[in-house]
């Protein structure tokens, strides 16, 4: 796993807020060792920006005025500017969240228009940002109806919908704002076509700054010296380098005795009395000279007020006295640090720089009062921590001495160090607790005699105290019972053997750094407790000598602390739990803990298969396949079968502004459009439109391989499934169009018709897998246009076809006199006196002659079979061309030229043999 969200946020916070950097998530910003020092490109150091700051702008008019005043530094891209608004380009084609201002729209090789003037960087006199420089965002070109997008549009959850990075010229959009705009085409007809207006810094940077007037160099002389700070040089006059004999002072032609030439602070020089010592002003610069108040008088030095200020620090030494005024005498030492306080005062001395002019800098010495800052001496007060000795009260808990192991407890007398514990002599009452002596009975528990042997262990008996679990610590008072050394005196008790050893543990009392407690030997007087050896008779307690056995392990007593662990050893005694197969229980043993799980550990043959589907477990599933599942997983699959998502496959479509039947030879210009829609795939990377004539090989009319060059439109999103949003939304379509200009409908290559067929191909990228009903991402292998699997990428995905069919027309008409076949050809070529139908001439044709006592006729392209019958009604019908009395004669094949000049081909001409009355007839 990589950085957690919390780790990443802390790293970002350190960099952005604290100006430091490290990845130690457990350390605070002020504990970091390194500052955050990113390198700065010279082109981003704005050497003329200070001039921009001279023109704060509370509104757009003020900002525009600034651009007029600084035309080579501020570029005006506002509504009143010289330049048009900037159209933004997606940083990544098809990505709607990040946009950038390129010099040339959609040309990612062109320069980025960055360094927009940020309002906060040009503060107004009241400190507010210059909002006149703010960038305005539009959907669509603001010069032609673009809609302003306010800073509040698309806000949700307290966060804004868009952010503009002035330094980089980049726009960042929230998904909510994208949805708001695309879902309201009536409000935002231009959709996600963004423009910005504002003001850019175009002045010099460190990368292109120029220095006019040639090069410059500076060298010191006996009179003038130079100092350098970065690109800035300062000069000064060397002390003693200017004298009256070296200067012409005017009409008197020489210096006046007792006067020196001094700068008056306004750029001029004047003769002033020599006592001012202005010459030593430079010395004033050296704080030591500040001590010489006379030097302070050197107003000239005051001019370098800043230096005069530091002169004051000399006086600050005087303020050491003020240090004495540290609130506490001890603080007097702090008063010494008052000198430091004095340096604090030097800030005030800056003010007195002016005083320096009047030599008042001497007064700055008076500012020693600042020594008052010695108040920091108060820190001495922290000595109060001595109160910790009071913790002697812990001795009071001497009652714990009852734990006969008291000898050991003597060791814990360490708490005696709390000399105050002597006060805990109250534990004399513990003497009363001769009953503790009773624990001498422990001696009786001869077993514990062994413990006596382990008297040394008594020292380690501290672990015994551990047994008492810390309460024994309280038994510091027991240290007092170290007096039980006196118990040693009660050698009689020694007679009781074991308690003699307890005497040895008296030594342990010694080890109780509670020697101080020894002072509480008065408690030793409670040796009477020794007398209470009688209590020792209460050997019953000796019964508890079982712990004596523990004494045997007294040596171990040192490690006795782990004895407590021994107690927990009981759990160790629990050993391994054995489970039987076919019980649904599984135990995994570890070095420190064990894990108990349920498991379908059936004893059935692993190859045994389910005869039927049960819940979400399919028939044919073997017992072995289920044996690795725990019972929760098994019931989940039984009761809640997994339902996988379905997918909407991508589509390819093609359209034409002209389709269907057209007359051979006619010239047309159809507009062909190819459209690919993502659905659950991803963006289309290529679209191609092609054409085939009379079933011949296809030719390419247009190929577009850059997604950004396609027309991208938002279409209906794929609806959620199982309550989970489709990861492939938002849904887009991609389109390209081409005009097949000047297309002449071709003649048939064979048969009675021709065809022009348009089709398209598309390449698209893979989509994302959806979640199933359990919220788990679908793991099926991606497939091409499958409704049951994530969509794999594909190339040359073909659309349907758009077809234009070319036919020669057929003709019919009527005349008032009989016409020959040749006469009918002339009628057709005249362009009038007939009906033309552009369609196939095969099969049955309906012709509305509308003849009344007239001669009907018709003509059909010669490719088609001859017509043999005509039919108007059951009482008016007949054959064609069988006998001279038939209404229509047998056809004559003649060449005909289109009145429009489209074609010249042969037609079968059918003239009438007789005059008749006929309405609409079917010719077949």
């Amino acid at each position: 796993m990589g950085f957690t969200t919390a780790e990443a946020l802390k790293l970002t916070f350190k960099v952005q807020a604290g100006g430091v950097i490290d990845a130690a998530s457990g350390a605070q910003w002020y504990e970091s060792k390194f500052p955050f020092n990113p390198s700065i490109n010279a082109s981003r150091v704005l050497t003329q920006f200070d001039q921009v700051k001279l023109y704060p702008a509370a509104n757009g008019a003020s900002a525009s005025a600034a651009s007029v005043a600084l035309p080579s530094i501020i570029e005006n891209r506002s509504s009143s500017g010289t330049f048009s608004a900037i159209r933004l380009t997606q940083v990544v084609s098809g990505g709607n969240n990040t946009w950038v201002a390129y010099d040339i729209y959609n040309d990612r090789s062109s320069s980025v228009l960055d360094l927009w003037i940020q309002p906060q960087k040009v503060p107004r006199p009241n400190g507010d940002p210059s909002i006149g420089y703010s960038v305005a965002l539009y959907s669509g070109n603001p010069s032609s109806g673009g809609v302003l997008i306010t800073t509040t549009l698309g806000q949700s959850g307290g966060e804004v919908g868009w952010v503009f990075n002035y330094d980089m010229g980049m726009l960042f959009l929230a998904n909510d704002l994208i949805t708001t705009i695309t879902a309201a085409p009536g409000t935002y007809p231009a959709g996600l076509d963004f423009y910005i207006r504002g003001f850019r810094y175009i002045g010099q940077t460190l990368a292109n700054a120029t220095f006019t007037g040639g090069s410059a160099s500076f060298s010191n002389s006996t009179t003038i010296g130079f100092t350098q700070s970065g690109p800035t040089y300062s000069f000064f006059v060397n002390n003693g380098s200017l004298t009256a004999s070296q200067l012409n002072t005017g009409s008197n032609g020489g210096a006046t005795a007792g006067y020196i030439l001094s700068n008056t602070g306004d750029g001029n020089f004047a003769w002033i009395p020599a006592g001012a010592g202005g010459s030593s002003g430079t010395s004033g610069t050296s704080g030591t000279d500040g001590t010489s108040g006379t030097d302070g008088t050197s107003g000239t030095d005051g001019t370098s007020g800043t230096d005069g200020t530091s002169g004051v620090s000399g006086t600050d030494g005087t303020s050491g006295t003020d240090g004495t005024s540290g609130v506490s005498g001890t603080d007097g030492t702090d008063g010494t640090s008052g000198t430091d306080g004095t340096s604090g005062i030097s800030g005030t001395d800056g003010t007195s720089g002016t005083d320096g002019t009047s030599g008042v800098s001497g007064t700055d010495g008076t500012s020693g009062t600042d020594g008052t800052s010695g108040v920091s001496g108060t820190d001495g007060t922290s000595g109060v921590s001595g109160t910790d000795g009071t913790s002697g009260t812990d001795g009071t808990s001497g009652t714990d001495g009852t734990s006969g192991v008291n000898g050991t407890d003597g060791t814990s007398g360490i708490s005696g160090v709390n000399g105050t514990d002597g006060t805990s002599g109250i534990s004399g009452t513990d003497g009363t607790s001769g009953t503790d002596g009773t624990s001498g009975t422990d001696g009786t528990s001869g077993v514990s005699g062994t413990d006596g042997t382990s008297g040394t262990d008594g020292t380690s008996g501290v672990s015994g105290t551990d047994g008492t679990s810390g309460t024994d610590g309280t038994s510091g008072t027991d240290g007092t019972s170290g007096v039980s050394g006196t118990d040693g005196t009660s050698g009689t008790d020694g007679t009781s053997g074991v308690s003699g050893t307890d005497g040895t543990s008296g030594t342990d009392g010694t080890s109780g750094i509670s020697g101080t407690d020894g002072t509480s030997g008065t408690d030793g007087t409670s040796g009477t407790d020794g007398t209470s050896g009688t209590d020792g008779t209460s050997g019953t307690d000796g019964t508890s000598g079982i712990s004596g056995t523990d004494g045997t392990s007294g040596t171990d007593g040192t490690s006795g602390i782990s004895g407590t662990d021994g107690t927990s050893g009981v759990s160790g005694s629990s050993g391994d739990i054995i489970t039987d197969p076919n019980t649904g229980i599984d135990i995994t043993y570890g070095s420190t803990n064990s894990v108990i799980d349920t498991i379908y550990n059936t004893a059935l043959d692993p190859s045994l298969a389910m005869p039927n589907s049960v819940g979400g477990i399919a028939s044919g599933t073997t017992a072995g396949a289920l044996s690795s599942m725990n019972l929760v997983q098994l019931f989940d699959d039984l009761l809640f079968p997994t339902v996988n998502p379905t997918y909407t496959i991508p589509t390819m479509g093609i359209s034409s502004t002209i389709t269907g039947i057209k007359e051979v030879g006619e010239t047309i210009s159809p507009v062909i459009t190819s459209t690919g829609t993502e659905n659950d795939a991803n963006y289309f990377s290529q679209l191609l439109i092609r054409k085939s004539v009379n079933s011949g090989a296809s030719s390419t009319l247009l190929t577009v391989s850059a997604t950004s060059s396609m027309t991208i439109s938002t279409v209906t999103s794929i609806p959620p499934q199982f309550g989970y949003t489709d990861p492939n939304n938002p849904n887009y379509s991609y389109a390209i169009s081409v005009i097949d200009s000047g297309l002449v409908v071709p003649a048939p290559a064979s048969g009675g018709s021709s065809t022009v067929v348009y089709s398209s191909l598309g390449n698209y990228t893979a989509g994302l897998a959806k979640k199933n009903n359990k919220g788990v991402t679908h793991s099926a292998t991606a497939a091409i246009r499958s409704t049951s699997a994530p969509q794999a990428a594909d190339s040359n995905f073909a659309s349907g076809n758009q077809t234009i069919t070319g036919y020669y027309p057929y003709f019919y008409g009527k005349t008032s006199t009989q016409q020959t076949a040749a006469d009918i050809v002339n009628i057709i070529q005249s362009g009038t006196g007939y009906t033309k139908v552009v369609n196939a001439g095969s099969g049955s044709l309906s012709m509305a002659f509308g003849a009344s006592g007239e001669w009907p006729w018709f003509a059909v392209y010669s490719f088609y079979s001859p017509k043999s019958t005509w039919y108007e009604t059951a009482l008016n019908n007949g054959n064609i061309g069988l006998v001279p009395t038939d209404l229509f004669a047998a056809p004559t094949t003649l060449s005909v030229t289109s009145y429009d000049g489209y074609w010249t081909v042969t037609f079968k001409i059918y003239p009438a043999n007789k005059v008749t009355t006929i309405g609409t007839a079917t010719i077949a």
Side-chain angles (χ1 to χ4, degrees), residues 6-377:
E7 290 170 338
L9 288 174
K10 189 152 191 177
L11 175 58
T12 303
F13 175 79
K14 287 182 179 181
V15 170
Q16 294 186 342
V20 297
I21 188 166
D22 64 44
S25 61
Q28 303 300 331
W29 64 271
Y30 52 79
E31 298 175 300
S32 297
K33 294 185 179 296
F34 292 96
F36 179 64
N37 287 330
S39 60
I40 300 178
N41 192 305
S43 64
R44 306 194 72 79
V45 179
L46 315 184
T47 58
Q48 293 181 302
F49 198 81
D50 282 347
Q51 296 187 49
V52 178
K53 294 170 71 173
L54 297 177
Y55 292 87
N59 50 53
S62 298
S64 295
S67 69
V68 173
L70 302 174
S72 64
I73 298 176
I74 300 176
E75 179 181 88
N76 188 347
R77 289 277 187 173
S78 70
S79 59
S80 60
T82 303
F83 301 94
S84 62
I86 293 296
R87 189 179 186 185
L88 301 183
T89 302
Q90 293 171 326
V91 172
V92 177
S93 295
N96 290 327
N97 294 98
T98 310
W99 303 71
V100 67
Y102 282 113
D103 188 32
I104 301 174
Y105 168 69
N106 222 22
D107 182 355
R108 294 175 177 81
S109 64
S110 63
S111 300
V112 173
L113 299 182
D114 56 2
L115 302 181
W116 295 76
I117 298 176
Q118 184 171 344
Q120 290 78 2
K121 292 183 179 178
V122 188
R124 290 149 59 189
N126 64 356
D128 290 344
S130 292
I131 59 175
Y133 292 110
S134 297
V135 160
L137 176 64
Y138 296 85
S139 170
N141 192 334
S143 299
S144 55
V147 180
L148 176 67
I149 298 176
T150 66
T151 54
T152 58
L153 184 66
Q155 286 191 7
S156 64
E159 297 294 340
V160 297
W162 63 275
V163 176
F164 185 75
N165 187 301
Y166 285 79
D167 279 347
M168 300 299 296
M170 297 180 72
L171 173 69
F172 307 103
L173 298 185
N175 287 330
D176 284 350
L177 179 59
I178 294 171
T179 301
T180 298
I181 293 175
T182 56
T187 304
Y188 304 98
L192 304 181
D193 186 11
F194 296 110
Y195 288 75
I196 58 171
R197 282 175 167 171
F199 298 82
R200 291 184 60 235
Y201 175 87
I202 57 172
Q204 293 182 2
T205 67
L206 194 59
N208 62 11
T210 58
F211 177 82
T212 59
S215 61
S217 62
F218 304 90
S219 59
N220 296 333
S221 69
T222 58
T223 303
I224 304 298
F226 293 92
T227 60
Q228 179 185 4
S229 176
T232 303
Y233 284 83
S234 302
F235 74 93
F236 58 90
V237 178
N238 292 325
N239 287 339
S241 64
L242 296 179
T243 65
S245 62
Q246 294 174 303
L247 296 174
N248 183 347
T249 60
S251 61
N252 62 354
T256 301
Y259 284 78
I260 63 171
L261 188 65
S262 174
N263 188 305
T264 60
D266 57 1
N268 297 315
F269 285 84
W271 291 100
I272 64 174
S279 301
S280 63
T282 306
S283 304
T285 303
S286 61
T288 307
D289 295 333
T291 305
S292 61
T294 305
D295 295 339
T297 304
S298 60
T300 305
D301 298 339
T303 302
S304 58
T306 306
D307 300 330
T309 302
S310 64
V312 178
S313 64
T315 307
D316 295 344
T318 305
S319 66
T321 306
D322 298 328
T324 305
S325 64
V327 177
S328 62
T330 306
D331 299 334
T333 305
D334 298 328
T336 303
S337 66
T339 304
D340 301 329
T342 303
S343 63
I345 297 165
S346 62
T348 307
D349 298 337
T351 305
S352 66
T354 307
D355 300 336
T357 303
S358 61
V360 180
S361 62
T363 305
D364 296 333
T366 304
S367 64
T369 305
D370 298 328
T372 304
S373 64
V375 176
S376 62

Side-chain angles (χ1 to χ4, degrees), residues 748-891:
S750 62
S753 64
S754 65
T755 57
V756 178
V757 179
Y758 297 101
S759 62
S760 65
L761 300 174
N763 298 349
Y764 60 85
T765 52
L768 299 174
K770 301 183 181 184
K771 294 183 182 296
N772 62 24
N773 64 321
K774 296 181 180 178
V776 178
T777 300
H778 194 196
S779 61
T781 302
I784 296 174
R785 292 186 292 284
S786 168
T787 59
S788 58
Q791 299 302 293
D794 191 26
S795 301
N796 297 324
F797 175 25
S799 69
N801 297 329
Q802 290 290 333
T803 303
I804 297 174
T805 304
Y807 286 106
Y808 292 111
Y810 61 86
F811 303 88
Y812 61 89
K814 60 186 179 180
T815 60
S816 58
T817 60
Q818 186 174 15
Q819 303 291 317
T820 66
D823 293 334
I824 293 172
V825 169
N826 291 332
I827 293 173
I828 293 173
Q829 294 180 159
S830 72
T832 186
Y834 56 81
T835 298
K836 179 175 75 172
V837 179
V838 180
N839 212 322
S842 59
S844 297
L845 306 178
S846 179
M847 299 182 186
F849 292 106
S852 177
E854 294 172 292
W855 303 76
W857 61 268
F858 65 93
V860 180
Y861 175 45
S862 61
F863 166 78
Y864 299 112
S865 301
K867 303 303 180 183
S868 60
T869 63
W870 62 274
Y871 181 94
E872 182 187 22
T873 67
L875 300 176
N876 192 25
N877 59 74
N879 295 320
I880 296 175
L882 291 183
V883 296
T885 57
D886 287 339
L887 176 58
F888 294 102

Side-chain angles (χ1 to χ4, degrees), residues 523-715:
D523 298 329
T525 305
S526 65
T528 305
D529 297 335
T531 305
S532 65
T534 305
D535 298 333
T537 305
S538 61
T540 306
D541 296 335
T543 304
S544 63
I546 296 172
S547 63
T549 306
D550 298 337
T552 304
S553 61
T555 305
D556 299 332
T558 304
S559 61
I561 297 169
S562 63
T564 306
D565 298 333
T567 304
S568 64
V570 176
S571 61
S573 302
S574 62
D576 290 347
I577 299 174
I578 306 301
T579 61
D580 294 326
N582 209 34
T583 59
I585 300 295
D586 178 58
I587 300 178
T588 302
Y589 297 99
S591 58
T592 59
N593 54 48
S594 300
V595 178
I596 300 177
D597 289 318
T598 61
I599 189 170
Y600 184 66
N601 55 353
T602 179
L604 295 174
D605 184 341
S607 64
L608 182 62
M610 293 175 59
N612 302 302
S613 296
V614 179
I617 303 178
S619 63
T621 302
T622 64
L626 301 175
S627 62
S628 62
M629 301 174 70
N630 63 42
L631 298 187
V632 173
Q633 293 169 330
L634 188 63
F635 276 105
D636 279 350
D637 281 355
L638 284 172
L639 302 178
F640 305 100
T642 298
V643 180
N644 288 321
T646 58
Y647 294 82
T648 304
I649 65 174
T651 60
M652 275 291 295
I654 191 164
S655 63
S656 172
T657 55
I658 301 175
T659 58
I661 296 173
K662 292 295 176 182
E663 184 175 355
V664 171
E666 181 180 355
T667 300
I668 56 178
S669 296
V671 179
I672 314 302
T673 300
S674 170
T675 303
T677 302
E678 290 180 4
N679 294 328
D680 275 324
N682 208 332
Y683 66 91
F684 277 75
S685 58
Q686 177 175 294
L687 291 175
L688 174 151
I689 298 176
R690 58 186 180 174
K691 176 176 74 174
S692 172
V693 177
N694 287 334
S695 301
S698 295
S699 61
T700 300
L701 296 181
L702 175 66
T703 300
V704 176
S705 299
T707 303
S708 60
S709 298
M710 303 174 188
T711 299
I712 304 174
S713 302
T714 302
V715 295

